[in-house]
Each structure stands twice: as C-alpha cells, then as structure tokens.
Amino acid sequence: MNILITGTSKGIGQAICKKFLQEGHIVYGFDKLKKTINHQNYHHYQIDISKDQLIELPPINILINNAGIQTNSELDVSTNLLATIKVTEKYAFQAQIKSVLFIASNSGTTGSEFPYYASSKGGVIAYMKNVAIRLGKYKATSNSLSPGGVITELNKHIIDDKKLYQEVLNETLLDKWASVDEIAEWSYFITTTNQSMTGQDIIIDNGEVAKYNFVW
C-alpha cells in the first residue's frame, strides 16, 4: 500500500515509517528536516506542511498525521492543527483511502500542558471525529493515538535529569514512558489490522490520565 507519513525524520514519525517499510509498504515522508531513512521504498520530501505547497502523489491508502511542534505559541496551532487539516483534506478524501491516523496527545484530553499545545491537540481529536464521519462513505477508518510521555529527543532534557524524570514517572501507574517503537506498533495495528474502530481516540500513556492523588 501507499503510505503518507508527516514528520518522518526523527522520533515517533521515524519509528512509524520504519515499521511500515519493514512490513513491505511504500512510504512517502514529509518533513522540514533532511532525509534520515535510506530504503528503496521510501520517498522523502523536505516540506514544511505549515508553509509549503503540498505536492501531487499517487493515491494514498493510509495517511498518518504525525508532524507536530511544541513551542507554547500560535505556531503550535498552525502546525499541529491547521497544517494537519490541510494535509488531510488534500490526500484523504478519495476512493483508495483505507485509514487515517492522527498522532495527538493525552494533553488533548486532560488539557494539562502548555495552552497552545494542548489546544492544538484537542483540536486534532475533534477534527479526527469529523474526518471519520466524512470517510464513512469510503469504508475507511479515522482514529487518533494520544501518547503520554514518550522516550524521544524532544524529552531528552527530562530523561537526562534523574530527579525530574522520576517526578514524571510518578505520575504514571506503570512507572515508565512508552518507546517510539511501541507507538509505531500501535499505529500499524490501528491503520492495517483494525477494520471496525473509527472516530476514536486511543490514549497510550501508562496510566497518566487515570492517576490521581487521593487525600483523606
């Protein structure tokens, strides 16, 4: 199948890209950074989806909207939400589409992060549901995956600070963060194995949302 993934040069997007390539798919990757994956079935386009014009591609079977930033400014909304809408509207609504996946965040549900970032991800979850409604006529699914803490370069400043890292782990039930490979496995399952779940947000956060401190 033809897979389009945004934000493929590092982190979660890179791991998702490698998973689909491993499974034999053709992957088109958009990223404002240079190519970091060398594979005969990988086609990289250095595109900033919030600024650059989107290119023409063969019909896409699976679209994974992963690209995102965290600046605590209006840029979060323009990239995480508005640019994601632009990509989806261009590539998703056609007869060959099978599935659309949005990488959101548990902060889109809890609101417990920087205001612009949390708002952008909450908007992504709402937009995902709108896409699910409109993709129904194609018998295609639309879902979002909302990670909590994930071990990536973006979180290096937390991971390298033992005290700070333990503080955030204490906010989980399982005393750990997810790996990028685990998020990639979830992404593959939701878009390929799954045939009936649509319009749903799946929270993968080791119990951050469920954790609460009860005082008697």
Side-chain angles (χ1 to χ4, degrees), residues 4 6 30 49-50 52 54 63-68 76-93 100-103 119-131 134 142:
L4 173 57
T6 63
F30 290 175
I49 60 170
S50 68
D52 299 332
L54 299 178
L63 167 60
I64 299 179
N65 288 295
N66 165 76
D76 291 0
V77 177
S78 64
T79 297
N80 301 348
L81 179 56
L82 299 182
T84 290
I85 292 174
K86 180 175 73 172
V87 170
T88 306
E89 294 297 325
K90 181 169 180 63
Y91 299 109
F93 297 95
V100 177
L101 178 66
F102 299 84
I103 304 301
S119 298
S120 72
K121 293 300 189 178
V124 165
I125 295 170
Y127 176 63
M128 171 274 293
K129 295 176 182 294
N130 175 272
V131 171
R134 291 188 289 144
S142 170

Side-chain angles (χ1 to χ4, degrees), residues 69-70 72 76-77 80 105-125:
I69 59 175
Q70 188 183 66
N72 194 26
D76 291 0
V77 177
N80 301 348
S105 168
N106 68 345
S107 66
T109 295
T110 66
S112 60
E113 210 161 332
F114 304 115
Y116 285 103
Y117 181 78
S119 298
S120 72
K121 293 300 189 178
V124 165
I125 295 170

Side-chain angles (χ1 to χ4, degrees), residues 88-167:
T88 306
E89 294 297 325
K90 181 169 180 63
Y91 299 109
F93 297 95
Q94 40 80 23
Q96 300 303 312
I97 195 69
K98 302 298 183 187
S99 184
V100 177
L101 178 66
F102 299 84
I103 304 301
S105 168
N106 68 345
S107 66
T109 295
T110 66
S112 60
E113 210 161 332
F114 304 115
Y116 285 103
Y117 181 78
S119 298
S120 72
K121 293 300 189 178
V124 165
I125 295 170
Y127 176 63
M128 171 274 293
K129 295 176 182 294
N130 175 272
V131 171
I133 293 169
R134 291 188 289 144
L135 282 183
K137 67 179 182 180
Y138 300 108
K139 306 301 182 187
T141 64
S142 170
N143 295 287
S144 56
L145 193 61
S146 286
V150 180
I151 301 172
T152 65
E153 284 184 29
L154 179 66
N155 293 317
K156 192 174 186 299
H157 67 288
I158 296 175
I159 297 167
D160 289 347
D161 185 325
K162 291 183 178 179
K163 181 180 178 182
L164 187 59
Y165 192 33
Q166 190 56 56
E167 281 186 41

Side-chain angles (χ1 to χ4, degrees), residues 45-57:
Y45 299 91
Q46 197 165 350
I47 292 174
D48 183 340
I49 60 170
S50 68
K51 299 176 182 177
D52 299 332
Q53 185 174 354
L54 299 178
I55 63 172
E56 296 302 320
L57 292 173

